[in-house]
Amino acid sequence: MDERHGTVVIGAGPAGLTAAYELLRHGATVRVFEADDVVGGISRTVERDGWRFDIGGHRFFTKVGRVEEFWHEILPDEDFLLRPRMSRIFYRGALYDYPLNAGNALRNLGVLEAARCMGSYARARLRPPKDQSHFEGWVSARFGWRLYSIFFKTYTEKVWGMPAEKLQADWAAQRIKNLSLSTAVVNALLPRRNRKDVTSLIEEFQYPKFGPGMMWERCTEEVRRRGGEVTTGTWVTAVHREDGRAVAVTVDGADGERRLPADHVISSMPISELVATVRPAAPPEVLACAADLRYRDFLTVALVVPAEFSFPDNWIYVHDPAVNVGRIQNFGSWSPYLVKDGRTCLGLEYFVFEDDETWRTSDADLVARATAELEQLGLVRPGAVESGYVVRMPKAYPVYDDRYQHNVDTIRAWLARELPNVHPVGRNGMHRYNNQDHSMLTAMLTAENIVHGAGHDVWSVNVEQDYHEQRSDNGDGRRGTGRDAPTVPGRTVGAVGGPAPDRRPTGVN
C-alpha cells in the first residue's frame, strides 16, 4: 500500500474500531472520528448512578473464529462471564419457550388452539401463500398463519412500525433462516439419542462482566496505544472527491472545522448520511435513494426493582398488543456487575421513529408510562418500581422496506464507480441488519482490502442460510462450532425478529 495520508475511519462502534485496530496491526496510519461523546455505538454500555445498561442486549457468540480471537485479544479471559442463554415470549399472560417447545406451547395454548395452529401449519405447507416477498407471506408459509399471528406479527410490527406485509422477506430470511416449526416439534418430541444430525440453539454464551461497552472502551485504549487516533465529539461533515477518488474529509469538533487529507475512508456512519456528505455532491438520483432509506430508532426505559421481580431470561419478547413495550431485558441475568444493592434493573424497550410522540416524551413521563405497562403485564406489583432511567439510541435498525434494496444497490454501484476508496462497513454503514460480529468481519475484510488489495467481497458477509445461534450435533455427541464460516452470530433477536438489530466470546447482536 502506497500510503501518504493514511485512512480516516468514520464512527467508533464495533466496525469502525475493529477496522482501526486491524489497520494498525499492519502498520497503517489511522484516524477515527466519532460524533458521539462515547465509543461503542449500539454496543456501548450506559451507566447511570452505578447501574449499567446494555443497549438491546448483546450475546457474545459467533461462528467466525477470527472474531472470537479478536475479543479475547482485547479482553482477558477473566473479564468474560459464561452466561446461560434464555429468552421467552410473553403472550396472554403466559411465557412460551423460545425456540418453540411442543409441550410448553401445548400447555399454554391449550389442546384446541394447539390443534388449530397445527392445522394452519399443515394448510400452509400444502398451499403456501403465493406472495412470499414480504415478511408476512414468508413467515406464514413456514409456520402457518395462526402461529405467525401469535408469535411473529405483533412483535414484528412493534419493532418496525409498519404492517408486516410492508416489510421485505429479506429481513426474515436473514434473521430466521432455516428454523422451522417441523424442526422445533421433532426436536422437542424425539429423544436426542435416536437422532442424527441434530441442530439446536446454543445454551450459553460469554459476556463482558461490565457489559459490551467494556470491549470497545478497551479497544479504543489499544488503538491509541498502538499509535492510532480516536477523537470523540467530532463529526465528519464532508468527504471530498477529486479524479474518481476521495482525497480528504472535513471534520468539525472541539478544535473547530478542519480539512484532513486521506488515502482511504472507512465509513460506519449511516450510508444515507455518507452520501449526503460527499463533495462535489452525488447525482440527484443517488441523493434521492439515500434520502429514501429509513431507520428505526430505539429507546430503553430502565426500571430499578427489588430482586424478587427478577427472572432468569436475558430478555422476554412482549407479544401483547395492549402495551407498547416490545421487549424486556433483565440486566441482572446478563451480569451481576450491571446491578447492585439487592435489586435488579428491567429494561423496557420501545421501537420508535425520531419524529414520534414517544421519542419526544420527557424522561419522567416515559418512566411513568413504562412503570404502568410493567404493572399491567403483572411482572411487578404496583409500587415496586423504585427509580428509572431513559436511554435513546437513534438509527438503531436499518429498515428493510420495499424500496431499500433498490436504494442500496444504486448507492453501492455509484460508490464503487466514483469513490472506490470509500468503504462502507457495519450495520448502518451498509444498511444491513448485521450482528456485531458480522459488522466486525466486514471491517476486518476491508482492512485487508486496503492493506493487501485482497479483493474480498465485503457485501457477501451475513448471507448464509444457517441460523447464527444454531449448532450441530455430529451424531457422536460432539458439538460442531462452525466457527470458520461467517454466519449470523452475536446479538440476536431470535426467530421473532427483534433487535437488536446486532446492536456476541463467541460473537457479541
Side-chain angles (χ1 to χ4, degrees):
M1 179 178 65
D2 181 20
E3 182 186 83
R4 294 172 296 129
H5 305 297
T7 298
V8 166
V9 177
I10 305 175
L17 288 171
T18 298
Y21 188 91
E22 292 295 308
L23 287 169
L24 290 166
R25 191 194 299 278
H26 297 289
T29 301
V30 63
R31 290 168 289 182
V32 182
F33 297 99
E34 167 59 52
D36 212 330
D37 293 327
V38 296
V39 300
I42 197 172
S43 296
R44 73 187 62 186
T45 300
V46 176
E47 182 176 356
R48 303 277 180 83
D49 295 336
W51 303 95
R52 295 175 182 270
F53 316 131
D54 191 344
I55 308 301
H58 292 69
R59 289 175 176 149
F60 278 67
F61 169 79
T62 189
K63 297 176 182 177
V64 186
R66 62 189 298 183
V67 169
E68 183 170 353
E69 291 167 4
F70 182 102
W71 286 328
H72 286 280
E73 187 173 327
I74 298 298
L75 289 179
D77 290 350
E78 57 266 26
D79 281 341
F80 287 101
L81 304 175
L82 191 62
R83 305 301 293 166
R85 176 201 184 280
M86 185 175 182
S87 54
R88 288 178 292 176
I89 296 167
F90 187 89
Y91 175 71
R92 291 187 176 177
L95 286 167
Y96 292 77
D97 292 341
Y98 177 77
L100 296 178
N101 174 283
N104 168 262
L106 178 63
R107 286 191 300 272
N108 285 340
L109 289 172
V111 175
L112 182 59
E113 181 61 29
R116 288 171 176 163
C117 288
M118 294 307 295
S120 175
Y121 171 71
R123 285 192 298 274
R125 302 309 292 169
L126 290 171
R127 300 185 64 181
K130 292 181 180 179
D131 185 1
Q132 297 182 32
S133 64
H134 51 72
F135 181 89
E136 184 168 290
W138 193 96
V139 176
S140 59
R142 287 156 179 81
F143 289 83
W145 172 264
R146 207 166 188 95
L147 276 175
Y148 157 75
S149 63
I150 294 172
F151 292 117
F152 295 86
K153 180 178 173 65
T154 298
Y155 181 78
T156 299
E157 291 182 347
K158 283 184 182 181
V159 171
W160 296 108
M162 66 173 70
E165 64 269 20
K166 298 295 185 183
L167 182 65
Q168 291 301 284
D170 305 31
W171 182 78
Q174 180 180 344
R175 304 303 296 187
I176 299 173
K177 306 224 174 194
N178 65 354
L179 291 181
S180 70
L181 178 62
S182 59
T183 300
V185 171
V186 168
N187 287 355
L189 297 180
L190 295 184
R192 179 176 298 275
R193 64 179 178 273
N194 292 330
R195 287 182 281 148
K196 308 280 186 178
D197 275 340
V198 172
T199 57
S200 60
L201 295 195
I202 64 163
E203 296 170 354
E204 57 189 13
F205 59 91
Q206 296 182 72
Y207 187 78
K209 63 183 183 181
F210 290 114
M214 183 182 186
M215 172 73 65
W216 303 111
E217 291 159 11
R218 189 75 55 80
C219 187
T220 298
E221 294 171 4
E222 281 298 305
V223 167
R224 288 170 172 159
R225 188 181 69 81
R226 295 174 181 227
E229 297 179 21
V230 180
T231 306
T232 58
T234 302
W235 288 258
V236 174
T237 58
V239 176
H240 303 279
R241 61 185 177 117
E242 296 175 8
D243 302 323
R245 292 181 66 82
V247 296
V249 300
T250 294
V251 301
D252 191 2
D255 297 330
E257 190 172 87
R258 52 203 171 109
R259 176 169 167 148
L260 305 171
D263 298 311
H264 291 270
V265 176
I266 296 177
S267 175
S268 65
M269 71 192 300
I271 197 169
S272 57
E273 296 180 7
L274 170 66
V275 171
T277 65
V278 174
R279 301 289 183 271
E285 63 272 17
V286 177
L287 289 171
C289 287
D292 194 41
L293 289 174
R294 302 173 64 206
Y295 302 85
R296 191 69 162 154
D297 309 298
F298 176 75
L299 63 84
T300 295
V301 182
L303 302 178
V304 176
V305 299
E308 65 184 278
F309 299 109
S310 183
F311 45 78
D313 308 72
N314 310 124
W315 58 60
I316 292 173
Y317 302 103
V318 181
H319 287 228
D320 188 338
V323 294
N324 292 319
V325 62
R327 195 171 65 174
I328 302 175
Q329 303 274 347
N330 180 15
F331 295 117
S333 291
W334 291 89
S335 168
Y337 295 92
L338 302 185
V339 298
K340 60 177 183 173
D341 301 336
R343 294 166 176 79
T344 192
C345 195
L346 304 181
L348 281 71
E349 298 177 350
Y350 295 86
F351 313 105
V352 298
F353 294 114
E354 280 190 275
D355 56 357
D356 286 351
E357 180 270 336
T358 300
W359 184 266
R360 300 192 304 270
T361 299
S362 70
D363 287 5
D365 287 344
L366 286 172
V367 168
R369 183 183 303 178
T371 299
E373 291 198 346
L374 195 61
E375 294 174 352
Q376 180 181 342
L377 292 169
L379 295 175
V380 300
R381 67 170 177 265
V385 173
E386 299 178 8
S387 59
Y389 308 88
V390 177
V391 179
R392 292 172 171 82
M393 179 60 64
K395 291 184 172 58
Y397 313 115
V399 173
Y400 281 26
D401 59 21
D402 56 358
R403 302 181 304 277
Y404 97 95
Q405 191 64 65
H406 166 75
N407 293 334
V408 172
D409 288 347
T410 300
I411 294 168
R412 279 182 60 187
W414 180 75
L415 286 173
R417 184 174 62 251
E418 301 295 333
L419 292 167
N421 63 332
V422 172
H423 313 275
V425 295
R427 175 180 287 196
N428 279 343
M430 303 173 75
H431 203 84
R432 174 172 290 173
Y433 199 118
N434 282 329
N435 294 310
Q436 181 173 240
D437 56 345
H438 279 148
S439 294
M440 293 171 63
L441 183 57
T442 64
M444 291 174 172
L445 298 180
T446 295
E448 292 178 355
N449 285 346
I450 290 173
V451 175
H452 301 303
H456 296 301
D457 179 10
V458 175
W459 291 89
S460 69
V461 172
N462 196 11
V463 295
E464 306 76 20
Q465 293 305 307
D466 60 330
Y467 182 61
H468 70 288
E469 285 203 31
Q470 197 171 54
R471 62 184 177 186
S472 61
D473 192 323
N474 300 315
D476 58 0
R478 292 180 294 108
R479 299 289 190 182
T481 63
R483 65 172 55 176
D484 291 333
T487 61
V488 187
R491 192 170 69 89
T492 175
V493 295
V496 288
D502 240 202
R503 303 89 110 244
R504 303 138 169 250
T506 52
V508 186
N509 256 296

